[in-house]
Amino acid sequence: MSVTGKTRKKGFAVRFRKEWPFHLMLLPCVAVVLIFKYLPLAGLSIAFQDYSPIFGIFDQEWCGLDNFRYVFSLPTFPRVIYNTMFIAIMKIVAGIIVPVTFALMLNEMRNIHYKRTLQTVVYLPHFISWVALAGIFLDVLSMDGIVNKMLGVLGITPVYFLGDEKVFPYTMVVTDIWKTFGWNTIVYLAAVTGVSPDLYEAAYLDGAGRIRQTIHVTIPGILPIVMLMSILSIGNVLRAGFDQIFNLYSPLVYSTGDIIDTFVYRMGILSAQFGPATAIGLFQSLVSFVLIVSGYWAADRFAGYRVF
């Protein structure tokens, strides 16, 4: 072994002895990832099999790409892809605009106690599961719920938010933003507070008021973070939120609210078509992988962000 190799080996041993508690802390997480993320990858072979639960996963009859041909020939599949992309893209766009706007508004507050209280209140929905929120929204957004009662007071015709196929996608976007925007604000608020005070002072000396300072100092200062978060969200184009939609949708809104994840659930779990369901899941994962890789490449190229 060369001197360089011995030096590297000795350095690694010294560093490992020094950092072994951290490796030990990571061990349970690594085990969970291996068990629940990597071992199940063997099940992807079902996408190429005429799967039957009677036999083992490696004792099935192979059918090649027949499951993919069957799935792509389904008349409802293009609509499911469209619904997924439509809802996901709206969530991504609103998930950038609303938190950024709210972060800018919080930055203008001078009462620190009111500011912290408001931050806490808008963060709380992030920690509530969609199972619990679904029960709340089913009551609040029903035809005799509080929202439609308020609309009736204003002379507006009641809206069937969770049963009207035209309204349902937008209801999903609004409820998702209500749940997540407070948490997402953390990133942008940190970016806002990271803008140099010298820039604000220079703008003030030039005669700029609070609005002009926000437009010409704050927004350009956080623009790299906004661009980075937008690019990294590209990988979620085919993931519109299974938990939310599964708990809120119904057959009445399948035409506009059925997404890939709920479609896979019905096909694989309810209809026991395991091969085609796995084929759809594999297709979704491959496309998402390409989008994520493209997103990280774009983040490195345009925002200077690198994972490694």
Side-chain angles (χ1 to χ4, degrees):
M1 181 181 295
S2 64
V3 177
T4 304
K6 291 180 179 179
T7 303
R8 289 180 179 176
K9 185 176 180 180
K10 183 178 180 180
F12 174 78
V14 172
R15 190 168 65 253
F16 182 80
R17 285 196 299 270
K18 183 179 179 180
E19 299 175 354
W20 72 266
F22 301 107
H23 293 281
L24 192 61
M25 290 173 59
L26 283 174
L27 189 59
C29 299
V30 172
V32 169
V33 171
L34 288 175
I35 294 173
F36 293 101
K37 296 296 184 179
Y38 286 94
L39 289 181
L41 289 176
L44 293 177
S45 59
I46 297 176
F48 307 95
Q49 298 171 348
D50 185 11
Y51 182 79
S52 173
I54 300 176
F55 307 103
I57 191 172
F58 297 111
D59 298 324
Q60 303 290 331
E61 180 181 351
W62 294 86
C63 63
L65 299 177
D66 288 350
N67 287 326
F68 291 91
R69 296 189 186 96
Y70 168 72
V71 168
F72 293 148
S73 66
L74 292 175
T76 56
F77 188 66
R79 186 67 185 182
V80 169
I81 295 292
Y82 173 80
N83 293 342
T84 304
M85 295 184 64
F86 181 68
I87 295 175
I89 290 174
M90 283 199 300
K91 284 184 177 181
I92 290 172
V93 174
I96 297 293
I97 295 175
V98 176
V100 169
T101 304
F102 188 70
L104 294 174
M105 294 171 64
L106 279 179
N107 187 57
E108 297 301 318
M109 289 187 179
R110 294 294 173 260
N111 189 323
I112 190 65
H113 299 291
Y114 179 75
K115 179 178 180 180
R116 290 177 177 175
T117 302
L118 184 59
Q119 284 180 277
T120 303
V121 170
V122 297
Y123 291 167
L124 287 178
H126 173 77
F127 301 99
I128 306 175
S129 71
W130 274 115
V131 177
L133 285 178
I136 296 174
F137 282 129
L138 287 173
D139 289 334
V140 171
L141 299 177
S142 64
M143 292 298 290
D144 58 350
I146 185 173
V147 174
N148 275 316
K149 286 183 179 179
M150 293 175 63
L151 293 178
V153 171
L154 297 175
I156 302 175
T157 304
V159 180
Y160 197 4
F161 292 100
L162 300 177
D164 188 334
E165 60 182 14
K166 296 180 180 180
V167 179
F168 184 79
Y170 303 99
T171 304
M172 294 300 97
V173 175
V174 173
T175 53
D176 180 75
I177 295 304
W178 175 85
K179 182 180 187 297
T180 60
F181 87 94
W183 183 258
N184 294 335
T185 301
I186 295 175
V187 176
Y188 303 110
L189 191 60
V192 169
T193 56
V195 177
S196 175
D198 295 338
L199 298 176
Y200 291 106
E201 184 177 351
Y204 176 77
L205 293 175
D206 287 339
R210 298 301 302 176
I211 296 179
R212 287 190 175 274
Q213 289 179 32
T214 299
I215 296 174
H216 298 288
V217 178
T218 307
I219 293 179
I222 67 172
L223 195 58
I225 297 298
V226 175
M227 182 184 299
L228 174 62
M229 298 300 294
S230 302
I231 292 172
L232 295 181
S233 63
I234 293 176
N236 296 322
V237 168
L238 288 185
R239 301 194 180 277
F242 172 77
D243 292 345
Q244 176 197 18
I245 294 180
F246 177 74
N247 285 286
L248 291 174
Y249 84 148
S250 66
L252 294 174
V253 294
Y254 277 175
S255 60
T256 59
D258 196 18
I259 61 174
I260 293 177
D261 294 323
T262 55
F263 186 68
V264 168
Y265 170 80
R266 293 202 315 278
M267 178 174 285
I269 303 300
L270 301 184
S271 301
Q273 299 183 59
F274 302 108
T278 307
I280 299 174
L282 180 57
F283 165 77
Q284 180 188 29
S285 298
L286 290 175
V287 174
S288 297
F289 173 76
V290 173
L291 292 175
I292 290 172
V293 172
S294 302
Y296 276 100
W297 174 85
D300 180 29
R301 176 69 174 80
F302 299 107
Y305 173 82
R306 301 190 67 177
V307 180
F308 304 107

